[in-house]
Amino acid sequence: MIYTVECSYSDSASEEEWNDFYSLHKLPALISVRGFHTSQRFRACGAGCPTYLALHSIDGLEVLQGDEYARKGGGNFARWQHHITDWHRNLYSGLDRASAVEQGDYLLVSRVGPEPIIAMGIAPEPLHAVALDHAPAALWLARLPAGMVPAMESFPSGVHAYAPMTAQLKSVSDAGRSGVETHPNA
């Protein structure tokens, strides 16, 4: 299952410090929680969506309800909480593991269906909300290789591109396993 966390951040003076905390401390803490398999952070390349997106591959909702998650990964944002806006959490079925998105590539997220991504020559992965906010009810994800990036302003409404802020972290049990990949159509 894919656990998504989206948000924006309203204080430019502390945003770099918050990003360092999230990327360097929070993600490693999360990936150490039993039931977390991969974690990666992204920044939106345009407007119209929350600025930040984190994708986590987890076993299921029970992981987020467990004591270990509460101790190691849940919360820990008290210092920055009042600057975190447009915050959404969802749990989606449809993928066992999120694909790693390498530096130079982009993650495409469609909230309007698979067609706009398919029109770009890429097969998206469908996700269906099963817990938490349940909104949007469905998402389609695809990895866009750097050489295929169109002008961001030409994306249809509801489709957003995200650049990776971190490499994908993998749990010790997943270190030898590769993620599910999305590929351009042949």
Side-chain angles (χ1 to χ4, degrees), residues 84-145:
I84 297 171
T85 63
D86 206 10
W87 186 65
H88 309 281
R89 297 181 335 141
N90 280 290
L91 186 61
Y92 291 98
S93 65
L95 279 178
D96 183 39
R97 302 287 191 272
S99 296
V101 179
E102 304 299 327
Q103 291 297 323
D105 292 346
Y106 295 87
L107 174 69
L108 294 181
V109 177
S110 174
R111 289 168 163 72
V112 295
E115 295 82 11
I117 295 175
I118 292 170
M120 296 172 75
I122 299 171
E125 297 286 350
L127 301 178
H128 304 283
V130 297
L132 305 173
D133 291 350
H134 289 276
L139 286 179
W140 291 264
L141 303 179
R143 185 183 54 81
L144 181 65

Side-chain angles (χ1 to χ4, degrees), residues 2-22:
I2 305 301
Y3 170 46
T4 65
V5 180
E6 299 174 280
C7 70
S8 294
Y9 195 83
S10 65
D11 181 44
S12 60
S14 64
E15 191 166 11
E16 184 177 345
E17 184 180 8
W18 177 74
N19 277 319
D20 285 347
F21 164 76
Y22 202 123

Side-chain angles (χ1 to χ4, degrees), residues 41-53:
R41 280 189 81 211
F42 301 88
R43 181 188 297 264
C45 297
C49 61
T51 305
Y52 299 103
L53 169 67

